[in-house]
Amino acid sequence: MPEIYPFSEKGETYAEEDMERLGRRGRRAIELAEMKIPVVPGFVIDSRLTPELPSKDFSESLRRGLVGIEEGVGRKFGDAANPLLIKIVVSSNLSLPFYPTVFNVGLSPTTMPGFSTLIGEKAAWFEYCYLLRTIGTKIFDIAHERFDEIIARYSDDVEGMKKCAQEMVQLVGRDNVPDDPFQQFVVILKNLAKRYYNAEMDAEDPPALLVQGMVFGNLGEDSSVGMYYTRNIISGEDRLQGSFLLNSYTLDRQGQDILALDGEYLNRLQQIGRSIERKFRELREVKFIVEKKKLWIINQTEVDKKSTQAHIRTLLDLMKEGTVKDDWVVEQIPPGQLATLLHSVVDEESLAGIPAIRGGITGAPGAAVGRVFFNADRLMEAHRDAIQKGEDTRMVLVVTASYAEDVKAIEVGQGVISAEGGYSSHAPVVSRSLGKVSIVHPDIRIGDRFFEYNGVRVNEGDYVTMDAPVYRDPTIYTGKAKLISPDIHTNGLTDFIEVVRRFIKDDFVVRANADLGRDAKVARTMGAFGIGLCRTEHMFFAEDRIQRFREMILSSSYDERVRVLDDLRPLQRGDFYDLFKIMAPYPVTIRLLDAPLHEFLPRNDEALTEYLEYLQNKGIKPEKAEIQERIERLHEFNPMLGHRGCRVAITYPEIYEMQVRGIFEAATRLKKEGVDIVPEIMIPIVMNPSELRFLKNGKQIEGQYIKGIRDIAREIFHQEGVQLNYKVGTMVELPAAALASGDLAQHAEFFSYGTNDLTQTTFGLSRDDINSFFPAYTMYDLLPNNPFQVLGDSVKELIYISAERGRITRPDLKLGLCGEHGADPSNIEFCMEQSELDYVSTSPYNIPIALLAVAQLNLKKAKAQ
Ligand code: PEP
Ligand code: MG
């Protein structure tokens, strides 16, 4: 057995199995040597010797090791005139922030004269005292205070230091610090082995001991000490980041910027940094010393605090230059981490002194700053006002829960704070699709133009900062902090997505939940393979459309409704045209209207007045009382289980007819323009095959014929002289539908699992109310996860049964999932592996996360085969 493993810039290399016995610090030093980097020379004592060190004599090997260091550093261990000092590091295989280290070994009254000429007599005695203190505290667990007491008794001149040293020797024990340098080295090694090797716990994997020469950055103006990261740890920019101090023993003060270092050293440090990045395949921290113009590398380590952006940019650079392969790059980043490249983050330093309201849930991640408004219209007005006056236009909407008429304010604002709801409620869903921030905090109390929590009060017009990270609970700061915002084109995200997409295969893709052309563009940038859910009711959120939509649902007769629908059709046609065109050649699934009525009706007097004004402007003279009465008639006790989805179309077939016409008109127009697309029409809230058959094929009843989708398609194709392929499918979002999947598949060419409603109806948990009682369920461990985020087992079982039954009827049935669960990697694994779906569909800003999860699963599968 070689006993010791010497290393130096000459480039020693060792077998992998040997390296495993040298501990982390030992390995790091040897890895530097392997790269022929000017590492300060040293040797590592094999970890198998550690248990025997206290009792056995290894002097010969130790002396041999010291000779190697002496040659490299140009000093002699124990020499009175030109002494070499060394450090000893306990090098275990554990990842620790600090490894126990004894510096200045070899310094004693014997070598003091030589060391004094090197750094000055007082400094030399100070370093000797430092050695004694380290031995006392780190090896013998003597309290620091005991050493402080000694120091306090003496002056800090040479004489005082000498006396301190004498007393410290007494305290540590004469036998533990022999004056003979070699004896001292051996005794310290033995005592370190005794102290840090525990026969019971470490027998399998004892720590090794690293012995390394010491060099000094305080030997004059041609010496310095410094550290740097191989590139910027926040931005990932390929420029060294760090600092140095001229003529200093350690980097214990604010140093100068590393880029101000002499060009010759800087070039070498850059080259060294590059080799280290290539070797370790990540950015790293490097410590160096220049001793009388000679550059030495002391150590290099991983950087835990590097940003995801910096990590990804390093990986991409290494990939471009051929150091690493694309599959390896894709495997390095946990999917959820990408969130930090997609959303702003709060600059922690700017938070000092701002009170915080913690808790609640993140509805949509990110960070936002703005003045709060408790009503959408007031927010809109303040926004317009701010634009005119050139003031800060950033606003945050605070509401108990949001509804259709609030969407305009969410859109112009930075975020929404709501007091009711859960992850798949209106405010979070809308915020996620618009890339805004949402926090749901069930314990805030919203009053008249203020909200309050635990004695902290925020009034309308006050600033808040919303911090809604993906991994931690959110916080609302009651003041204005600074944000750091991402640019996905420069932070590496778009390049990274391109690499990730190489590992997506046709059998499982990621689509977007996107409602408007603008969302579709974002979705494409984020790498979507089509749209899996266009919620057409969201197309009516815009300020100029919501009133027309209200007019449609509040119509008192068929004729009145058809008139409004005729008005809406060109708008819908335009919307669909945009979506199809932006997404071509990828598929687009248009879901026909599913508007829980309570989200769309005027909810208060202000909204009602606006609606009445709208009617008046159209020349209609509405009776307020009559309109109110119609609203009341539409009131439902349980709107989520009420007149929504396809049920509305069964009562009023003309509504879906208008939408289906709009879809085919847009598609035929595109076909004439040379853009061939296959529209996918999807029906929501289906509970049985009869509904689906009725809406698809139409029905003759009491002499009246109700057109189905197929009839409308035929009509338009005939009228336009164009033939098109199209698909009709269904949402599966009710347990009854899941169980009836065998029959549903006779009429549906695709299913999309609407897991928001499927969770709501399977668990009987309201997606809008869960938050008020979920914390107690978490506290008592009654539900493993929030089932609106992580698919519950019963929902998974229903999907599994449905997929199986559906495919028996129609083997080429396409299956997707479009609930808010679509971006969570654990749900994706279920969709890909267990249920063998064809895609998940998720909000545009979640697409990179989902893509990465899919790519990693594909790579894992490929490697397992
Ligand atoms: C669902 O229920 O999962 C779904 C996607 O539909 P929505 O959220 O629009 O009800
Ligand atoms: Mg639904």
Side-chain angles (χ1 to χ4, degrees), residues 33 41 82 84 143 149 197 204 234 313 318 391 640 659 670 674 841 846 859:
N82 184 24
L84 166 74
E149 282 160 19
Y197 169 69
E204 291 289 306
I234 302 297
R313 283 186 63 176
L318 291 170
E391 290 170 351
M640 274 299 193
Q659 291 198 292
L670 277 166
S841 190
N846 278 335
L859 282 167

Side-chain angles (χ1 to χ4, degrees), residues 533 535 537 591 594 596 640 644 684-685 731-734 753-758 760 767 818-819:
L533 173 65
R535 292 176 163 107
E537 63 281 6
R591 182 180 76 183
D594 174 15
M640 274 299 193
R644 66 177 282 214
I685 309 286
M731 298 277 291
V732 174
E733 48 192 338
L734 301 174
Y753 295 101
T755 46
N756 304 330
D757 278 309
L758 191 56
Q760 171 163 262
R767 60 198 265 187
C818 64

